[in-house]
Amino acid sequence: MKNFPEIEKLYNQIRQFPCQDLSSSSFSVALTKLTIACQEYLKTSTRITLISKVVGKEYFSFCEDKKNSRAVRMDLFTDDIDVLLLFLTSLENNNFESIKSLDIDKACYTIAISFCAIIDLEKIGDQKTPGTFFEHFIGHCFSKRLNVTPKTRVDVLNLDKATALPTDYIFDLGKGKAKFHVPIKTSTRERVIQVWAHQRVLDGVYGNGRFYGTLACLSETKVDKKSLEVIEICLPQQWQLYQMFIAQMKRVYYLDIPTAYLKLNDVFPKIHVKTFSDFIEETKDFSNFD
Amino acid sequence: MKNFPEIEKLYNQIRQFPCQDLSSSSFSVALTKLTIACQEYLKTSTRITLISKVVGKEYFSFCEDKKNSRAVRMDLFTDDIDVLLLFLTSLENNNFESIKSLDIDKACYTIAISFCAIIDLEKIGDQKTPGTFFEHFIGHCFSKRLNVTPKTRVDVLNLDKATALPTDYIFDLGKGKAKFHVPIKTSTRERVIQVWAHQRVLDGVYGNGRFYGTLACLSETKVDKKSLEVIEICLPQQWQLYQMFIAQMKRVYYLDIPTAYLKLNDVFPKIHVKTFSDFIEETKDFSNFD
């Protein structure tokens, strides 16, 4: 018996947390309950292997009543609930000493993709719910790790004009310290230019180097419904143009890094595309962050 | 008897014209036929007056089988097919001497909104078809007026990197002459930052002032389905931030100018928001265009 109403109830709790409560214990509790409920749900779902056109990665879909979920990466999805709970406890305490990097990546990916896959199975064409969940989940991770809750608007005082700029999450570590501009997307596609444009506005208003542009994404896979083939949709050359001509993004963190973007680490103009465990590692000491 | 299949057939013709044929006579013929078919269709549709929350503008919706179309502006919609045909003939010949400015605005608005309204009545949640039609219609108008067909990608040659940048329509009047970057949207909402970002990339790659950023839009109305109230959704302060910190758009042409954007003509930083008949007037002599 699939308990989707329970999952929906917990999602609705998570969705309604305001920014300033994203790192609260009650958020952690709801997230842990949701994680357990999602694994319970998926335990009895059929899995079909997809035909991966992505070199070095294997994917499957969960299936219910002839509906297939989005692609799930085999080596990153874990059925081991203990790994998920260890990650959530580490996150709650903001202490990752007892968890391996690979387990951080597996846990993060599994928590995010499980909820998204269940929505794929239960709803038709609902992109908003997975997006909102992912935003709150990553927002929570950043809040716990950076030890500060985000804002979603910044004041703009510019000569005779005072206005507020609505933004993605802004994590401000305080006076003279780093400020993170964190757009969060399950996948980017052609709309990603917005991310660089928002960074450009922040750079313009506050000065270059004041905000670390830090994009967080889930994956870029696309499944062909008929052939069951998985591809990754990537536009690396356009990212490079945006990086050269619009603004500088400091980091892009993926839960499932697309191969084409991984290569951007090695060519100029460099764009640093990393895993989520890299985020945990890099934010241990901000002086490494450059 | 509503002949929607005929309208669909003509739309499919229009949709399939490649860029380089946007100013062809066969396009003009298909557009004229479609215009006549749309007026024929709407002639027998009920109109209900909407409750306008926009000062100085009245709107109605077309209705069929309990479905309502988007808002249609009363003073700009014309039932006079002769006005529409005079506009289309003027456009075909790129000679607007025998048509009044107001009739240009009425004809353009009526042609665009009629097709969109019919799709609202015939389809559910289809935003793509109105968008594609509007893009082709405005692309055709620009092609005829500027006497050049558009491209949708430009080459980027940047030291060791050669790549192509997919763009909105680019109308290149030739060596040493104006080049227009023309994004076309039925409405803009929060995604409009893309327009400024694309302009920024073009400015960066080719130099400032090489491309005139020229946004073309239909309207910004939103109808509340229950209360039948019409509002305009506008973000003028954000447009000003984009204009200050991302790039300079030279013009924004609306078929139904939102009140809040009209005011941007009068305050600094100025954004020139004008009607479509202004476009026809201004492009008579490019030396006026600044």
Side-chain angles (χ1 to χ4, degrees), chain A residues 90-153:
Chain A
S90 306
L91 188 64
E92 167 85 37
N93 301 321
N94 193 16
N95 180 336
F96 294 84
E97 283 178 13
S98 52
I99 182 168
K100 289 180 291 183
S101 290
L102 184 58
D103 283 345
I104 292 174
D105 287 326
K106 282 184 177 181
C108 235
Y109 179 77
T110 302
I111 292 168
I113 205 86
S114 295
F115 178 81
C116 296
I118 290 168
I119 298 301
D120 294 341
L121 297 173
E122 292 280 343
K123 304 277 182 181
I124 294 167
D126 181 354
Q127 292 302 319
K128 191 159 178 273
T129 302
T132 304
F133 170 73
F134 187 64
E135 189 175 58
H136 279 72
F137 170 52
I138 297 293
H140 172 69
C141 294
F142 269 72
S143 294
K144 295 301 294 188
R145 185 57 177 164
L146 302 177
N147 213 12
V148 61
T149 54
K151 289 184 293 187
T152 54
R153 52 199 311 129

Side-chain angles (χ1 to χ4, degrees), chain A residues 33-48:
Chain A
K33 281 186 186 169
L34 180 67
T35 299
I36 294 168
C38 288
Q39 298 320 301
E40 201 61 35
Y41 180 107
L42 291 173
K43 208 162 63 175
T44 56
S45 295
T46 314
R47 301 177 187 191
I48 51 162

Side-chain angles (χ1 to χ4, degrees), chain A residues 161 163 166 200 237 240 245, chain B residues 161 163 200 237 240 245:
Chain A
K161 300 182 59 62
T163 180
R200 171 88 205 170
Q237 291 189 323
Q240 289 181 316
F245 293 112
Chain B
K161 301 182 57 63
T163 183
R200 171 89 204 167
Q237 292 189 321
Q240 290 182 316
F245 293 113

Side-chain angles (χ1 to χ4, degrees), chain A residues 239-241 243-244 248 264 267-271, chain B residues 160-161:
Chain A
W239 281 33
Q240 289 181 316
L241 287 174
Q243 187 80 351
M244 288 192 285
Q248 295 273 307
L264 294 176
V267 291
F268 288 85
K270 286 199 176 185
I271 305 178
Chain B
D160 53 345
K161 301 182 57 63

